[in-house]
Amino acid sequence: MAEENSQEAVYIRFSVLQRFLHIIVMIGFTGLALTGFSLKFSGQWWASAFVWLIGGAGHLAYLHRFFAVVTYACVVAHILWLIYYKLVLKGRLTGPQTLFPRYKDFKDLIGHMRYFFGKGRLPTFNRFTYWEKFDYLAIFLGMNTMGLTGLILWTPEFFSRLLPGYFINLAQVLHLYEAILAVALKFVVHLISAHLRPEVFPIEKSIFNGRTTREKIMREHPGEWEHIQTIHEPS
């Protein structure tokens, strides 16, 4: 969808639902990181200070579970939207302009590496680049891993009746290392690739206001621009 203003065409890149879920996940994920690492490393001075600020380990544990429920609720909402989009709106979940990976994304990765070393041209990216799809799948799959292991740790007495006791220990290990990977990915890789690139520094605004420009699509997502042109060609 495009809107004409006094300077150039403005296109809607992210819907209201997508922007809302992104903000809630941002808040929930940050809360999970702060509370979770403070509980795990409670012997460190910074963690002890944060626990004292919150009002004790009991309050911190409650907040951690609260942020977990809020964050995973966004995952459930997204899954329900995908089902609705596919079954009711008859939309496509796969294809060149979707978030699901394709063989072209692997070719784009190789082509991008070659471009960095001056061995080729910049790949023609579609609506979502390979690193944006990686971001999406990382949080989509990672939140399910965190959710399952977190649920086991939340109610260990219940799950110990269903599973051998070492599964509780396994869940604790997986929960910690998945959390470390998730925090490293989101607070380092994602921030750099999405917001600290020279083209958009200091922040990529489209995920917050939903808008992008024709010039930006043509520069960063030429494959999407070709798709838009095809849709709007007169029959």
Side-chain angles (χ1 to χ4, degrees):
M1 180 183 296
E3 302 174 2
E4 294 291 339
N5 59 22
S6 58
Q7 296 180 350
E8 58 183 333
V10 176
Y11 290 80
I12 301 300
R13 179 160 175 78
F14 296 106
S15 68
V16 174
L17 177 63
Q18 291 167 336
R19 286 177 274 156
F20 174 75
L21 290 179
H22 178 263
I23 291 175
I24 299 302
V25 168
M26 278 179 55
I27 297 171
F29 187 85
T30 303
L32 282 171
L34 287 173
T35 56
F37 285 130
S38 296
L39 286 168
K40 180 61 182 179
F41 303 105
S42 57
Q44 301 296 318
W45 67 267
W46 55 268
S48 298
F50 189 70
V51 171
W52 174 83
L53 182 65
I54 294 300
H59 289 167
L60 201 63
Y62 171 82
L63 279 177
H64 188 71
R65 292 163 183 164
F66 170 77
F67 285 124
V69 171
V70 169
T71 304
Y72 198 75
C74 293
V75 176
V76 173
H78 178 66
I79 294 174
L80 292 176
W81 163 251
L82 291 179
I83 296 173
Y84 175 78
Y85 180 75
K86 177 64 177 179
L87 299 182
V88 179
L89 299 182
K90 306 300 181 182
R92 291 187 60 188
L93 295 181
T94 59
Q97 308 306 325
T98 68
L99 267 169
F100 288 87
R102 305 173 75 238
Y103 176 64
K104 181 182 182 302
D105 297 307
F106 177 75
K107 293 171 59 178
D108 285 347
L109 171 60
I110 301 300
H112 212 185
M113 295 300 105
R114 291 177 55 84
Y115 170 77
F116 287 150
F117 291 99
K119 300 296 184 180
R121 301 178 61 183
L122 186 67
T124 302
F125 297 120
N126 289 316
R127 177 173 173 80
F128 299 103
T129 62
Y130 67 87
W131 66 85
E132 289 172 327
K133 294 184 180 185
F134 178 78
D135 263 352
Y136 168 75
L137 288 178
I139 193 168
F140 186 70
L141 298 177
M143 284 298 102
N144 284 288
T145 302
M146 294 291 289
L148 178 59
T149 55
L151 188 61
I152 292 175
L153 296 175
W154 192 346
T155 56
E157 297 86 358
F158 172 78
F159 282 97
S160 63
R161 299 190 190 101
L162 306 176
L163 302 169
Y166 62 81
F167 271 80
I168 309 300
N169 296 331
L170 180 61
Q172 190 171 30
V173 172
L174 290 176
H175 198 74
L176 172 62
Y177 284 100
E178 175 64 28
I180 294 173
L181 286 173
V183 168
L185 177 65
K186 291 306 169 187
F187 286 107
V188 179
V189 178
H190 175 69
L191 283 180
I192 292 174
S193 63
H195 299 290
L196 301 183
R197 293 180 290 117
E199 299 88 346
V200 299
F201 182 85
I203 189 171
E204 169 60 79
K205 297 178 181 178
S206 63
I207 191 58
F208 299 104
N209 60 24
R211 298 166 179 257
T212 191
T213 63
R214 175 169 52 196
E215 183 273 334
K216 190 174 180 182
I217 296 177
M218 294 173 66
R219 183 182 71 250
E220 298 185 2
H221 305 276
E224 180 185 6
W225 178 250
E226 292 176 5
H227 177 70
I228 293 174
Q229 293 297 98
T230 301
I231 292 177
H232 290 88
E233 282 182 356
S235 57

